[in-house]
Amino acid sequence: MKTNTEDIMVERVEGWLEVTLNRPEKMNSLREQTAQEIMDVLNEAEAARDVAAILLKGSDKAFCTGIDTSEFTIGDNEYFDFYRKRRRQRKVNRLFRELPAYSKPIISVIEGYALGGGLELALVSDMIVAGANAKFGLPEIRLGMMPGGGGTQTLPRLIGPALAKELMWTGRRLAAAEAREYRLVNHVTEAGQALEKARELARTIGGNAPLSVMFTKAMIDRGMDLPLAEGMAAEGDASFMLYFTRDRAEGLSAFREKRTPDFRGE
């Protein structure tokens, strides 16, 4: 995995990767370089059979506080040029679009602030584990803006449109306990313990059949936007494909023999 990164730190822990946002002077805000480094690491992890999951985390003070606005300088008569770059070239925008497409589970580990684009980054991961001191919010409306990293689409799918509108229209922050009440996060731990809980989840996921995890993730994500009948048909096709894998045979044998299966993603 890449080690010559400036904005993130990457560490291999057991069977997963831990990617740490490392811009403390900017409260871990995202710039173009940050987005590119994250995508480069995830692209490598996709092809690595020995990587079962990715944990995305920040610091105790801030997971991520959004987009680095210093890169939003637009010169005279350059507005349409910036629009074109946003649609096709800006790496931060690509990160929000592409993160859900990775086949391996991505768990966001949040201590401190997850605001604006930082919350949107967590929302396009697969799960969120938060420490008790975590704070969540989409405050863009207070600055005359609105979410631009998918928040108007991802948040209502998690907590419903009425609550999503309230949070966006007021810009108020949620504490971790309230976020759990709204089912915005999977788990809330004591302050400073979110990483250990996320590692526990990654360890459990890593012990299961990689192809089953991959197909299940794909079916859940695709099925959210499909009619029920189409989603069930897609699930049936994917489930049937697993009948021909080595891991299915190994799982059944291990069950009969009362031993731990040796899954290989084959």
Side-chain angles (χ1 to χ4, degrees):
M1 294 298 164
K2 290 184 178 295
T3 57
N4 59 334
T5 53
E6 182 179 347
D7 287 9
I8 64 174
M9 296 185 295
V10 183
E11 183 181 5
R12 174 65 182 268
V13 179
E14 297 182 33
W16 60 86
L17 286 185
E18 296 185 5
V19 178
T20 305
L21 300 175
N22 188 35
R23 302 189 72 214
E25 74 287 356
K26 294 285 189 176
M27 297 284 281
N28 290 333
S29 62
L30 300 171
R31 60 176 176 172
E32 291 289 87
Q33 180 171 329
T34 320
Q36 185 63 65
E37 289 179 2
I38 293 172
M39 289 189 289
D40 287 345
V41 168
L42 292 179
N43 287 339
E44 290 188 49
E46 278 285 275
R49 284 197 177 189
D50 58 350
V51 174
I54 296 93
L55 274 54
L56 183 60
K57 56 194 178 81
S59 65
D60 289 343
K61 188 174 183 179
F63 168 71
C64 177
T65 55
I67 311 302
D68 188 340
T69 56
S70 66
E71 293 190 334
F72 272 82
T73 302
I74 305 174
D76 292 339
N77 300 318
E78 291 182 358
Y79 292 99
F80 286 106
D81 300 294
F82 192 85
Y83 175 84
R84 293 186 184 98
K85 289 179 181 179
R86 180 189 65 84
R87 289 295 299 270
R88 299 293 183 186
Q89 295 173 266
R90 272 186 58 78
K91 296 165 186 175
V92 169
N93 296 88
R94 280 182 50 211
L95 175 63
F96 289 120
R97 291 196 303 266
E98 294 179 13
L99 201 70
Y102 287 101
S103 68
K104 298 184 178 181
I106 300 174
I107 304 173
S108 289
V109 184
I110 299 178
E111 302 276 2
Y113 296 109
L115 302 176
L119 175 53
E120 290 174 299
L121 180 64
L123 289 172
V124 292
S125 67
D126 295 296
M127 293 186 280
I128 300 175
V129 178
N133 63 351
K135 296 289 189 294
F136 304 86
L138 294 171
E140 290 90 341
I141 203 159
R142 294 181 175 181
L143 304 174
M145 299 186 290
M146 64 175 283
T152 63
Q153 305 305 304
T154 53
L155 189 60
R157 282 168 166 79
L158 277 178
I159 68 174
L163 279 174
K165 289 173 184 176
E166 177 190 337
L167 294 179
M168 292 180 207
W169 290 348
T170 63
R172 75 179 179 90
R173 295 177 183 177
L174 291 179
E178 191 175 7
R180 179 174 56 189
E181 178 186 339
Y182 291 166
R183 304 189 74 175
L184 175 61
V185 303
N186 291 68
H187 299 277
V188 174
T189 70
E190 294 181 7
Q193 295 301 308
L195 179 58
E196 288 308 311
K197 181 61 180 180
R199 286 174 172 171
E200 177 188 324
L201 290 169
R203 191 174 294 116
T204 301
I205 292 167
N208 291 317
L211 293 175
S212 299
V213 173
M214 179 179 72
F215 275 78
T216 302
K217 174 175 176 173
M219 288 303 98
I220 292 172
D221 290 346
R222 284 176 54 194
M224 293 293 290
D225 295 318
L226 290 176
L228 179 59
E230 291 184 25
M232 293 183 71
E235 179 197 271
D237 291 340
S239 177
F240 187 73
M241 292 292 290
L242 292 174
Y243 274 69
F244 306 100
T245 64
R246 174 204 170 276
D247 281 353
R248 178 181 181 274
E250 168 62 12
L252 291 173
S253 295
F255 178 77
R256 289 191 295 267
E257 297 164 10
K258 295 181 173 57
R259 60 176 173 82
T260 301
D262 176 25
F263 291 130
R264 301 179 185 176
E266 301 173 354

